Amino acid sequence: MSDSTAILVAQVEQVSPPPIDWGALTPLLVVLGAALLALRAYDATRGPELQLWHTFVPDELGVEQIDRSDWSRYLRQEDALFEQVRRHVSDRLPPAARIPSNRYFEGSPIYPGRFEHDWNRSYEMRPAGKPVGAVVLLHGLTDSPYSLRHIAQRYVEDGFVAIGIRLPGHGTVPAGLSDIEWERWMAATRLAVREARLQAGADRPIHLVGFSNGGALAMKYALDSLEDPRLERPARIILISPMIGVTRYARFAGLAALPALLPPFEKAAWLGIVPEFNPFKYNSFPVNGARQSHRLTVALQDQIARVARERGLEGLPPVLTFQSVIDFTVSTPAIVRRLYASLPDNGSELVLFDVNRRAKLGPLIDPTSTQALARLLPALPVSYRLTMIGNEAEGADDVTARVVDAGATEETKQPVAMTYPAQVFSLSHVAIPFPMDDELYGIQPTDAGNPRFGVSLGAIAPRGERGALMVSLDSMFRISSNPFFPYLLARIDEVIAEPARASGARPGGARRAGPAAEASFPDTDPEFDEMLRKAQDVELDSVVMP
């Protein structure tokens, strides 16, 4: 070592900060933790009281029971669950809860049992002729099979059997999510795929469609099938707003429920206690729901990294994802960086819906929102097709698709022949799987004057004073249907029309773009990172968040 180097090292050592004495800080950290728990306990004593649907937990099957079950047994148990809810909740409602806005009141117009079909339940749709394949549809957290029914119907029209399974803990009462583990959701996914194979027949393709939390389940099943030869391998995967990652703060969600160990603070087990006025989705949200979603995404990300490292992901089928660049529920960057950066060149595609750059909201638009797409894009080339749906701030109103093929560095533009509605500034996490005329969530429902499901939540545009509604005005502003839904269906039609091929084989034999791990991303700036931090949250919205 030269004298000058030695002098420099000595100077660095002199100015280096002293090591942190964690032992000395332990009492302070304990006091701070106790204070936070005390604050959480105090906060839990305020707000609405728990109702029957927050305290009664139906008897769901366990993992081993589901793995030993067939479709008919699962449906029989499901019937028993809904009968339990009727006897323990609906039949025992106090007078104050027997109101039209309560989905558990049998006299309510939103009571699911009065509809021609209760979309909280698992379903199986069959085509008119012999099936050409089968699709398994996996809904999101706090949601029900209702959310993917339009996509299921399109598959049926194209000759597929559609299997829409109600995941354990869902469709009954919010308390069902207070005592559930994500492993049971995975067991139900395996059951649905077994039923899909039985109904489709041998050698017919099986597709997986996953929405939000269901997207994580679809991807995890596909990865499991690479490592377990007993599992059927899907031919295609379609993801809608997939929960590949959630906020890093979700890992501490379980701590929020610690005061609930003491009966006076039982409300601490809930992140939201909200009236249940949505017939096909929970509004209230238990802490355990957030905790299980976080556990699932951690397991998924670990498996993606491990399988990519140990054996590669070439056996995965092509993945087609539809995602809004602005998403307040899941991490859009995690989709790009944790999932797509690891995919082989197998024909996968990521479709990103940009913000409306012609929205007439002036200074109300956060400037960082218009930067979201640019900051998400990886350095080119990448191993998948990248499609960006959006418009320009100037010029024609029409939306275009900017497409960068796998291995390419230049984009091409394709007309979409659609426009952004003037007052819609972006899509949302919950909007993508619903058409604009959806009877419950659509902005333009087919029969708003006589709602098919008792209420048209998507068409409500309230104006008034704070405090008058049972929910926040912020939640009512969130768009819950997709003006580009016809484009989504057209893209799914393309997937269905493709001839069956071995999983992982790229159509046309195109060359690989190079190892996905080599893809790089632009540096982020603090302002944009702060926006993303705010936008990455577990599914806490209390109105229309599947």
Side-chain angles (χ1 to χ4, degrees):
M1 181 184 298
S2 66
D3 292 342
S4 59
T5 302
I7 292 172
L8 179 60
V9 170
Q11 290 175 340
V12 170
E13 290 176 347
Q14 290 175 3
V15 299
S16 298
I20 298 175
D21 185 354
W22 291 107
L25 288 178
T26 298
L28 178 60
L29 294 175
V30 170
V31 171
L32 179 60
L36 290 175
L37 287 177
L39 181 61
R40 172 63 179 164
Y42 169 74
D43 186 63
T45 62
R46 302 157 49 184
E49 294 300 318
L50 296 179
Q51 304 295 327
L52 290 173
W53 50 88
H54 298 120
T55 57
F56 172 71
V57 179
D59 298 323
E60 295 276 5
L61 296 174
V63 171
E64 293 184 1
Q65 292 173 309
I66 297 173
D67 280 333
R68 293 195 302 265
S69 295
D70 58 13
W71 187 250
S72 60
R73 183 189 175 188
Y74 193 80
L75 294 186
R76 288 196 301 272
Q77 178 61 22
E78 190 170 270
D79 289 340
L81 294 177
F82 282 90
E83 176 61 21
Q84 290 174 23
V85 172
R86 187 189 66 78
R87 289 188 289 106
H88 292 276
V89 178
S90 295
D91 288 353
R92 299 183 183 184
L93 290 178
R98 297 177 181 272
I99 54 178
S101 60
N102 183 3
R103 67 176 274 185
Y104 298 107
F105 173 41
E106 292 182 342
S108 167
I110 60 173
Y111 178 67
R114 68 188 300 271
F115 303 140
E116 180 181 357
H117 181 83
D118 183 355
W119 291 99
N120 288 299
R121 294 173 178 256
S122 302
Y123 59 78
E124 188 172 290
M125 300 182 188
R126 298 190 60 83
K130 184 177 180 180
V132 300
V135 59
V136 172
L137 302 111
L138 305 168
H139 63 77
L141 186 64
T142 75
D143 203 0
S144 71
Y146 177 88
S147 62
L148 293 173
R149 70 188 185 103
H150 297 287
I151 295 174
Q153 185 60 47
R154 177 53 63 96
Y155 264 97
V156 172
E157 292 169 359
D158 288 336
F160 275 61
V161 176
I163 309 295
I165 191 165
R166 180 199 63 86
L167 297 171
H170 294 81
T172 54
V173 289
L177 288 177
S178 68
D179 185 25
I180 204 73
E181 310 82 34
W182 70 266
E183 289 85 355
R184 281 198 259 188
W185 301 336
M186 280 306 310
T189 300
R190 293 190 291 270
L191 169 62
V193 174
R194 293 197 301 272
E195 175 65 11
R197 171 54 66 211
L198 182 65
Q199 295 300 324
D203 301 323
R204 298 290 183 176
I206 293 177
H207 291 191
L208 299 182
V209 178
F211 175 33
S212 189
N213 196 66
L217 296 173
M219 279 308 308
K220 181 127 191 7
Y221 177 88
L223 291 166
D224 288 345
S225 72
L226 295 181
E227 301 186 290
D228 187 346
R230 297 171 299 178
L231 297 178
E232 293 283 348
R233 287 198 182 184
R236 288 299 298 254
I237 301 173
I238 295 177
L239 306 179
I240 299 171
S241 305
M243 187 177 283
I244 305 303
V246 293
T247 174
R248 58 186 179 275
Y249 301 113
R251 71 186 64 180
F252 303 112
L255 298 178
L258 286 180
L261 296 174
L262 301 175
F265 307 113
E266 60 181 347
K267 288 192 289 184
W270 294 82
L271 294 173
I273 301 173
V274 184
E276 298 297 325
F277 54 83
N278 188 326
F280 301 128
K281 176 179 173 58
Y282 302 152
N283 294 336
S284 303
F285 189 46
V287 170
N288 187 61
R291 181 171 177 269
Q292 296 306 318
S293 280
H294 178 255
R295 291 184 61 231
L296 171 59
T297 58
V298 168
L300 174 60
Q301 290 188 21
D302 288 349
Q303 189 174 17
I304 291 173
R306 177 178 55 78
V307 175
R309 181 178 63 253
E310 294 177 356
R311 56 181 296 170
L313 299 175
E314 281 72 17
L316 273 180
V319 181
L320 173 60
T321 297
F322 299 93
Q323 175 67 28
S324 172
V325 297
I326 303 294
D327 191 313
F328 201 71
T329 300
V330 303
S331 169
T332 303
I335 297 170
V336 179
R337 303 173 189 181
R338 299 292 186 180
L339 174 58
Y340 271 79
S342 300
L343 293 179
D345 184 10
N346 65 349
S348 294
E349 181 176 359
L350 174 60
V351 178
L352 295 172
F353 293 100
D354 195 11
V355 299
N356 181 7
R357 298 177 183 275
R358 299 176 68 86
K360 307 301 183 182
L361 297 176
L364 298 181
I365 292 290
D366 186 341
T368 57
S369 298
T370 59
Q371 303 170 18
L373 177 60
R375 302 298 299 185
L376 285 170
L377 298 181
L380 300 176
V382 290
S383 60
Y384 52 90
R385 192 186 198 208
L386 181 62
T387 301
M388 297 152 282
I389 306 297
N391 56 13
E392 300 293 340
E394 304 293 339
D397 289 336
D398 288 348
V399 167
T400 60
R402 296 159 50 202
V403 180
V404 181
D405 287 321
T409 57
E410 300 293 331
E411 69 177 38
T412 59
K413 289 188 177 182
Q414 302 172 0
V416 177
M418 298 178 189
T419 60
Y420 246 120
Q423 295 303 312
V424 175
F425 51 87
S426 76
L427 295 190
S428 71
H429 176 80
V430 301
I432 295 179
F434 299 104
M436 297 284 276
D437 62 355
D438 180 82
E439 294 94 335
L440 182 60
Y441 297 123
I443 292 178
Q444 302 165 340
T446 51
D447 192 357
N450 184 26
R452 180 180 179 185
F453 301 117
V455 63
S456 297
L457 293 174
I460 296 175
R463 293 293 184 272
E465 183 56 279
R466 292 179 176 178
L469 299 179
M470 296 185 295
V471 296
S472 68
L473 287 174
D474 178 72
S475 63
M476 301 302 292
F477 271 110
R478 196 181 198 191
I479 186 172
S480 56
S481 56
N482 182 2
F484 309 116
F485 189 75
Y487 170 84
L488 179 147
L489 287 185
R491 298 303 315 279
I492 291 177
D493 283 340
E494 294 176 9
V495 170
I496 295 173
E498 289 181 4
R501 62 177 184 272
S503 295
R506 178 171 173 76
R511 68 175 181 85
R512 292 176 57 84
E518 293 180 2
S520 60
F521 302 87
D523 293 333
T524 57
D525 59 73
E527 182 183 18
F528 185 75
D529 286 345
E530 176 64 11
M531 186 197 76
L532 289 181
R533 185 190 66 76
K534 294 177 181 177
Q536 297 167 22
D537 204 348
V538 291
E539 296 180 305
L540 302 181
D541 190 280
S542 60
V543 180
V544 291
M545 186 170 62

